[in-house]
Amino acid sequence: MYVHAMKIAVAISGGVDSLYALIHLKEQGHEVFALHARFIHFNIELEQALEKTCQKLNVPLHILDLRDTFETDVIEPFFDTYKKAQTPNPCALCNKKMKFGKLLEEAKKLGAEKLATGHYVKLANFENSITSTYGFCIQSANDTTKDQSYFLALTPIENIRSAIFPLADKIKEDIKQEIANRNIEIPVAKESQEICFVPDDDYRSFLLNNKEKYNFNPESTGDIYYINNKTVPQEKRKIAKHKGLWAYTEGQRKGIGIAWTEPLYVIKRNANDNSLFVGTKEEINTKYAMANTINYLVPPHLWYGQLYARTRFREKQSPAKIYIQNVQAKLQILIDNPSSTKDIINNYAIINEPATKLLVEFNQEKQVYAPGQILAIYDENNFLLAGGMLY
């Protein structure tokens, strides 16, 4: 991919992945500079360590203060999503708004042609039986245990094409060894936590400790209903009170706090009447998922072959049928190219409307998804085709 020397900004956090990206690109002969963003707070010790490392590598370091933007675009939506009884995915939003949004914008202002990050994803030429000329798109990384393509599903393709991912073909342990071989100290030696702005990954304490600042009411208790779909009509019985819908996630088993003849799972949260629905393990599976706020990384008329979907980061892609649906326009298209190509092209104005959704029908039942999380669509070559917000 790197056919000529470029001026590349490398987003560095202080961890091993972004440090390797910086070293690797410099050793390839590119003109690189390091870009560190203050997203959460000012850490003088970390910035001093980054400066020391960059000086040793003879690489310029630029520090950007993006805390206000991060607050508005990532942390506030995190609280807003919990208020709606949904489960947020701040990493996907951060990639879209911050790393490949504001940070990319600032990198270009500093003269960079590309922005490199330590994401474990590939950028490869999109090819299938329909086309080989669409251009570079996201593909899953070689290290499937670290692949982060799911978190890029909301990021526009034009921004992705301004990026470089040096870790695409790398394995985590090999990267650690390469850094050690160069005798370079890693400013942040420990692995990054799941949500960078939540101390110790304890999101419950974070929500409670900041409830006044973000106008978050954790004490909105309501009714818990037991449902049984095996009965006709469906059994629905009020059995307890919940402690606030924010404290539960669809599919959750532990922590519900109800004594029952068999384990209970969270099936659904209803923000409209503040009710929580639980059931046995037989009730938590579904064959369907719906998403809005669709981001097409590859136009759907170019999708081909068996399609796959993910509704969680830590799950494998599952084979599925994908439908484009717009109820207002009375449109529903099963994406089954090339047979559906003409219908898709003729309806692109509708397909790009905010009211258009993606409907997923999985080949086999899977655990119910959590609204607020990301739906990611892949093809059989592991290209990321589209993403949306589950609801």
Side-chain angles (χ1 to χ4, degrees), residues 76-135:
E76 288 181 5
F78 179 81
F79 278 85
D80 291 341
T81 304
Y82 274 110
K83 291 175 187 177
K84 294 186 290 187
Q86 296 183 345
T87 304
N89 194 311
C91 295
L93 202 57
C94 179
N95 283 326
K96 175 185 178 180
K97 296 280 191 175
M98 301 302 301
K99 292 176 183 174
F100 299 101
K102 189 65 177 176
L103 196 63
L104 174 61
E105 179 185 320
E106 295 298 326
K108 289 186 175 181
K109 287 181 182 178
L110 291 167
E113 298 174 62
K114 301 282 185 177
L115 173 67
T117 71
H119 285 86
Y120 283 86
V121 293
K122 290 183 180 180
L123 200 56
N125 188 56
F126 180 77
E127 293 183 281
N128 58 25
S129 296
I130 295 177
T131 183
S132 62
T133 61
Y134 178 63

Side-chain angles (χ1 to χ4, degrees), residues 177-249:
Q177 188 59 52
E178 288 192 41
I179 296 294
N181 292 343
R182 289 166 172 78
N183 195 29
I184 296 173
E185 186 176 345
I186 303 168
V188 180
K190 67 178 182 178
E191 288 284 314
S192 59
Q193 58 188 37
E194 190 166 342
I195 303 176
C196 66
F197 58 86
V198 176
D200 302 317
D201 289 330
D202 184 357
Y203 80 93
R204 293 171 185 258
S205 294
F206 181 75
L207 290 168
L208 295 174
N209 293 338
N210 293 277
K211 60 184 179 181
E212 288 86 6
K213 180 178 179 180
Y214 296 99
N215 193 28
F216 176 71
N217 178 16
E219 299 173 356
S220 54
T221 59
D223 295 321
I224 299 179
Y225 292 92
Y226 169 78
I227 56 174
N228 183 351
N229 291 322
K230 295 190 295 292
T231 61
V232 180
Q234 179 195 62
E235 179 184 0
K236 177 182 175 182
R237 188 172 10 137
K238 187 188 299 184
I239 59 173
K241 289 282 188 180
H242 66 72
K243 51 192 176 184
L245 294 179
W246 66 273
Y248 304 86
T249 302

Side-chain angles (χ1 to χ4, degrees), residues 6 49 62 132 195 252 254 335 346 354:
M6 294 181 285
H62 298 270
S132 62
I195 303 176
Q252 175 184 336
K254 296 181 179 180
I335 303 179
N346 289 342

Side-chain angles (χ1 to χ4, degrees), residues 20-41:
Y20 174 82
L22 182 69
I23 295 169
H24 176 71
L25 291 172
K26 181 177 174 58
E27 290 179 348
Q28 281 194 328
H30 297 289
E31 179 187 351
V32 299
F33 63 89
L35 203 55
H36 176 71
R38 298 173 185 163
F39 285 153
I40 311 163
H41 48 72

Side-chain angles (χ1 to χ4, degrees), residues 155-176:
T155 304
I157 186 61
E158 57 268 23
N159 294 24
I160 292 296
R161 286 175 172 171
S162 291
I164 287 178
F165 303 108
L167 276 60
D169 300 316
K170 295 295 181 178
I171 303 299
K172 182 79 171 187
E173 293 308 312
D174 293 342
I175 287 174
K176 290 180 179 179

